[in-house]
Amino acid sequence: MKLVRALQSQGFGSRKACTARVRAGEVAVNGTLCDDPEAEVDPAGLELTLDGVSWPYRAQAYVLMHKPVGYECSHHPSHHPSVFSLLPPLLLQRGVQCVGRLDQDTSGLLLFSDDGQFIHRMISPKKGVAKVYRARCAEEVTDAMLDALRSGVQLNDTPVPVAALACDRLDATTLQLTLAEGKYHQVKRMIGATGNRVIALHREAVGHFPLPADLPPGGWRWLEATDLNQLEQPWRSATS
Ligand code: URA
């Protein structure tokens, strides 16, 4: 692959802009300065350095974010800033999209990618990738409420009741809910159908991949091969 093409594919700008940066001596390939935009580079293990920052070559972008409350999962947000404003321009240039959406007032694990097939596998109800939420409720979490969520509650846009894969009380007003789908406002609507109300919602995990404890709200990082593997593991509850 030509160096200029490799740079473009990683989101460093147009062919013209990448050519100019290489010619200006701003780009190192595997630690060695290279001023020939047409130089052949091997994508395997390729490390590009620009402005003193190293960027390992990635054929596709897979990223996770600790979404803070107060951000919308949209390129054209209506009332709050966009989660995309928390990502570097390089990822936006690559065209990463949210993998499913979290509401403006929901925090937690949010994935992004430019791999359409990966996005489909993560959000398709047929694939059943579990999403684990922690919900704080306005009223006490009762046994009847837990039973209803486990056996299925009726939502207005589903022909049959929708059940949680797992549902556990964490304290008097907080529960952990695991869902196989990601319907619009699903957690809030399911809890609403039991007569209670969500006052704070946080996504703790997707599949068996938890939000890293050391990632602060608004922070992001790349997903590595082992992370992707963990994300795609079929769902098994802790008791099965
Ligand atoms: N369910 C909701 O109600 N809101 C979210 O943000 C995610 C799941």
Side-chain angles (χ1 to χ4, degrees), residues 67 73 101-107 131 133 177 179 181-190 198 201-203:
K67 178 194 175 291
C73 291
R101 289 183 173 209
L102 292 176
D103 298 335
Q104 169 277 123
D105 54 358
T106 301
S107 59
K131 281 86 185 179
Y133 296 92
L177 193 68
L179 302 180
E181 324 84 350
K183 296 181 194 306
Y184 179 68
H185 287 174
Q186 187 171 345
V187 174
K188 291 173 185 162
R189 291 193 297 142
M190 284 179 74
V198 172
L201 187 60
H202 179 79
R203 184 153 71 189

Side-chain angles (χ1 to χ4, degrees), residues 122-140:
M122 287 295 116
I123 64 177
S124 163
K126 287 199 189 115
K127 306 285 177 191
V129 175
K131 281 86 185 179
V132 185
Y133 296 92
R134 189 177 68 233
R136 194 145 54 82
C137 302
E139 311 292 338
E140 201 179 318

Side-chain angles (χ1 to χ4, degrees), residues 77-155:
S78 39
H79 299 296
H80 300 87
S82 164
V83 288
F84 292 101
S85 68
L86 300 169
L87 293 175
L90 175 126
L91 281 172
L92 305 182
Q93 182 90 22
R94 283 187 75 148
V96 297
Q97 301 298 328
C98 290
V99 180
R101 289 183 173 209
L102 292 176
D103 298 335
Q104 169 277 123
D105 54 358
T106 301
S107 59
L109 178 56
L110 180 63
L111 306 176
F112 295 83
S113 182
D114 59 359
D115 176 350
Q117 290 182 357
F118 169 77
I119 296 177
H120 176 73
R121 285 199 303 281
M122 287 295 116
I123 64 177
S124 163
K126 287 199 189 115
K127 306 285 177 191
V129 175
K131 281 86 185 179
V132 185
Y133 296 92
R134 189 177 68 233
R136 194 145 54 82
C137 302
E139 311 292 338
E140 201 179 318
V141 173
T142 61
D143 289 343
M145 182 183 168
L146 294 175
D147 287 346
L149 292 168
R150 287 181 192 130
S151 55
V153 292
Q154 189 62 55
L155 302 179

